[in-house]
Amino acid sequence: WKSNAAGVDLNYNFAASWDELAGRPSPSSMGYKGTTPLSEPESQALASIATKYPWAITISYHSQGEVIYWTSSSNGAKMASNTLAESISVMTGDRMDSSDGRGGFKDWMQSKDIPVPGVTLEVGRTPCPVPFNEYEAVWKQNKGVWIQALDYVIRRL
């Protein structure tokens, strides 16, 4: 189950090429984008925080794939997002992939008037939700990401 209680997949609920998302036509456990971008209270809350404060980067954690998605179709911070992804990839060993991201928080942040570099880290090897028996390996692989992220931000100040 990837959606909120209303059956909206929050990873498809942001205004980043939202109109181009096909998804499911009605509320579902996954893939339904909602009636409009930011139609959901959870998306609205995150967008409010993102608009209220300046952001240096964004890191989103999702499950399955051991891959780092670093760009989107409307990425205004492409080079910075790539540099961030490369530094995290070296540390975690996860491969980088350029997705045609649409509707996600990272995608939206990268497409804003003042774009924010970002990555989405897909952790774990099995479908959502990551089973408890993978937590230790995921933690070991990702515990240094925040140090890497802070180092990235400090070097760009």
Side-chain angles (χ1 to χ4, degrees), residues 6-7 12 16 24 40 61 85 93 95 113 117 122 126 142 144 151:
Y12 292 162
R24 300 202 179 189
E40 303 308 297
Y61 272 90
R95 67 182 171 84
D113 290 338
E122 296 280 354
T126 54
N142 287 271
D151 181 63

Side-chain angles (χ1 to χ4, degrees), residues 131-147:
F132 289 117
N133 65 359
E134 287 190 40
Y135 277 31
E136 185 176 344
V138 167
W139 170 247
K140 283 181 181 178
Q141 189 175 12
N142 287 271
K143 66 183 177 182
V145 167
W146 300 105
I147 294 168

Side-chain angles (χ1 to χ4, degrees), residues 8 19 21 45 52 59 61 63-65 71 76 81 84 90 108 110 114 124 132 135 142-143 147 150 155:
V8 176
D19 292 334
L21 278 169
K52 186 174 181 179
I59 298 176
Y61 272 90
S63 66
Q64 189 183 352
T71 195
S81 296
L84 175 63
V90 166
W108 177 67
Q110 291 175 337
I114 300 174
F132 289 117
Y135 277 31
N142 287 271
K143 66 183 177 182
I147 294 168
L150 290 171
R155 290 177 188 261

Side-chain angles (χ1 to χ4, degrees), residues 57 80-81 83-84 87 117 148-156:
I57 62 171
S81 296
T83 301
L84 175 63
S87 68
Q148 200 70 19
L150 290 171
D151 181 63
Y152 172 88
V153 170
I154 289 169
R155 290 177 188 261
R156 276 137 190 91

Side-chain angles (χ1 to χ4, degrees), residues 2 6 8 15 23 25-26 34-35 62 64 73 106 113 117 120 143:
K2 291 176 54 179
V8 176
S26 59
T35 55
H62 292 191
Q64 189 183 352
S73 56
K106 169 193 65 71
D113 290 338
T120 297
K143 66 183 177 182

Side-chain angles (χ1 to χ4, degrees), residues 66-68 70 81-97 119 121 140-145 148-149 151:
E66 294 183 326
V67 64
I68 301 169
W70 62 273
S81 296
N82 181 269
T83 301
L84 175 63
E86 284 177 345
S87 68
I88 293 171
S89 176
V90 166
M91 193 203 58
T92 63
D94 290 346
R95 67 182 171 84
M96 291 171 47
D97 194 357
V119 295
L121 304 178
K140 283 181 181 178
Q141 189 175 12
N142 287 271
K143 66 183 177 182
V145 167
Q148 200 70 19
D151 181 63

